[in-house]
């Protein structure tokens, strides 16, 4: 039963990650700090899920801006480690703010 519960959680993580990224990229998100903390945890737990969600978002936008969106995603994760240390979470939150501004500018 624990194995089934764990397997279920493993299956949910990529979906949650995708939903959070969609919200950050395509919707109004006034409190970015509250979104960045769980997003970093999900990225650390499921790097493959993050890559899939990222590719899904990139492929959903116009071809003319896909390279710019990819570059924004690269910047989001630059200098971010796979840890939940306070300094790393703060770096990720700052990078997410920049990422969101870049993407909003690109998609306008």
């Amino acid at each position: 039963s624990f194995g089934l519960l764990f397997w279920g959680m493993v299956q949910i993580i990529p979906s949650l990650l995708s939903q959070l990224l969609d919200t950050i990229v395509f919707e109004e998100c006034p409190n970015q700090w509250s979104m960045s903390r769980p997003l970093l945890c999900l990225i650390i737990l499921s790097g493959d899920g993050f890559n899939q969600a990222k590719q899904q978002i990139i492929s959903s936008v116009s071809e003319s801006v896909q390279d710019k969106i990819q570059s924004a995603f690269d910047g989001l994760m630059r200098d971010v480690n796979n840890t939940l240390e306070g300094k790393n979470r703060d770096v990720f939150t700052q990078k997410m703010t920049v990422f969101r501004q870049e993407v909003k500018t690109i998609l306008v």
Side-chain angles (χ1 to χ4, degrees):
S1 65
F2 176 74
L4 289 176
L5 177 65
F6 181 74
W7 179 250
M9 293 301 290
V10 168
Q11 299 300 314
I12 289 172
I13 290 171
S15 176
L16 291 173
L17 208 158
S18 180
Q19 289 174 2
L20 271 176
L21 273 178
D22 281 349
T23 300
I24 290 164
V25 171
F26 298 115
E27 297 178 21
E28 197 54 41
C29 178
N31 192 349
Q32 295 173 24
W33 183 89
S34 67
M35 299 294 271
S36 71
R37 300 307 172 143
L39 181 60
L40 179 59
C41 293
L42 293 171
I43 290 170
I44 290 170
L45 286 172
S46 181
D48 289 339
F50 173 66
N51 289 328
Q52 289 174 355
K54 176 174 68 171
Q55 289 307 317
Q56 200 170 23
I57 288 171
I58 292 169
S59 66
S60 75
V61 299
S62 168
E63 266 188 55
S64 64
V65 297
Q66 287 181 355
D67 288 342
K68 292 178 182 177
I69 298 292
Q70 176 65 53
S71 179
F73 269 110
D74 292 344
L76 173 65
M77 297 310 295
R78 191 172 297 118
D79 301 324
V80 174
N81 303 315
N82 284 336
T83 69
L84 294 176
E85 294 175 357
K87 183 178 179 183
N88 193 54
R89 288 184 302 195
D90 292 342
V91 167
F92 181 76
T93 299
Q94 291 168 357
K95 295 216 176 241
M96 194 181 86
T97 300
V98 172
F99 167 79
R100 194 161 186 284
Q101 291 169 348
E102 286 178 6
V103 168
K104 290 292 182 190
T105 301
I106 293 166
L107 295 179
V108 169

